[in-house]
Amino acid sequence: MQQISAVSQLIRGAVMLVALLHLTTIAFALTLNQPDYIVSKGDQSAQFHLQQRVTLTGSWVNFAQELQAEGLNSLVILSLPESFFYAFIYVSLFRLFGRYKRGQVFDEKSIKIIRNIGICIFIWPVFTILYPSLVALGLRATGLSDSLALSFGIGSSELVKVLGGLVVFVVGWIMSEARELQQEQELTI
């Protein structure tokens, strides 16, 4: 049990570090919205390079270009909502490994967290497919654009997320079934 606790603490730290780096990069990209910045202080000047590592993939690349052509900030429109999925998963993993650290590995709450992560990963590609069209409809309805195309795109990244979500959800279900079997065996004795 001590090893599980130690590894869980290490994983919590790694999740926290990755989440902070990831979400800070997105925040910098959203606020600065330029790849290079010159910072001057008196006679000294230093160049600060921020590579915009917030990348759009699949069908969102073309949609981002269309948004930019309309004079809209594609980074805000497309990156910000997806950040909520990442934040949910980071918080859920942090909570899960906190429970593991305390020895609550097979309890109902830990299993529920695993299932919720699976559902989130499963829903994510559906969001990815529908979101650009919903944005285009919203921008058309508000009069901010009249030329954005409605498009649906599915690629390998969406299929991998669907499969990953299903696997995580099934692992949660198997853990739940194992817990019920263990409880039945304890009652049988």
Side-chain angles (χ1 to χ4, degrees):
M1 188 61 203
Q2 237 176 352
Q3 289 176 332
I4 291 174
S5 181
V7 169
S8 295
Q9 182 63 26
L10 183 67
I11 297 296
R12 285 184 91 198
V15 167
M16 180 67 81
L17 179 65
V18 169
L20 286 174
L21 287 173
H22 184 195
L23 298 176
T24 301
T25 301
I26 291 171
F28 269 119
L30 290 173
T31 56
L32 302 174
N33 204 16
Q34 294 177 356
D36 292 323
Y37 302 92
I38 304 287
V39 179
S40 311
K41 199 171 199 183
D43 293 343
Q44 301 171 346
S45 66
Q47 191 169 16
F48 172 61
H49 293 281
L50 173 67
Q51 286 187 333
Q52 195 165 329
R53 301 302 295 170
V54 180
T55 56
L56 303 171
T57 59
S59 62
W60 285 28
V61 173
N62 294 333
F63 189 63
Q65 292 168 346
E66 291 177 27
L67 288 170
Q68 291 297 123
E70 294 281 327
L72 300 168
N73 188 334
S74 64
L75 192 60
V76 171
I77 294 171
L78 297 177
S79 297
L80 200 55
E82 192 173 48
S83 299
F84 292 116
F85 284 100
Y86 282 114
F88 176 80
I89 289 173
Y90 290 143
V91 168
S92 296
L93 287 173
F94 191 79
R95 287 180 50 223
L96 178 66
F97 283 99
R99 297 186 68 71
Y100 287 176
K101 181 182 169 208
R102 293 187 300 274
Q104 300 165 326
V105 178
F106 292 107
D107 69 335
E108 192 59 40
K109 207 164 195 174
S110 296
I111 293 169
K112 186 176 180 180
I113 292 171
I114 292 171
R115 282 192 204 150
N116 288 341
I117 291 171
I119 290 168
C120 179
I121 295 171
F122 185 79
I123 290 172
W124 194 339
V126 174
F127 170 81
T128 303
I129 292 167
L130 297 177
Y131 184 67
S133 292
L134 294 173
V135 168
L137 285 172
L139 291 172
R140 283 180 173 188
T142 59
L144 294 173
S145 173
D146 55 351
S147 64
L148 284 175
L150 300 179
S151 64
F152 297 94
I154 187 165
S156 59
S157 64
E158 288 85 11
L159 296 175
V160 167
K161 286 177 186 170
V162 166
L163 181 61
L166 284 173
V167 167
V168 172
F169 184 80
V170 169
V171 166
W173 174 75
I174 289 170
M175 288 178 69
S176 178
E177 291 295 313
R179 183 173 182 267
E180 286 179 24
L181 283 173
Q182 180 186 18
Q183 288 175 344
E184 286 177 13
Q185 287 178 349
E186 288 173 358
L187 291 175
T188 306
I189 298 173

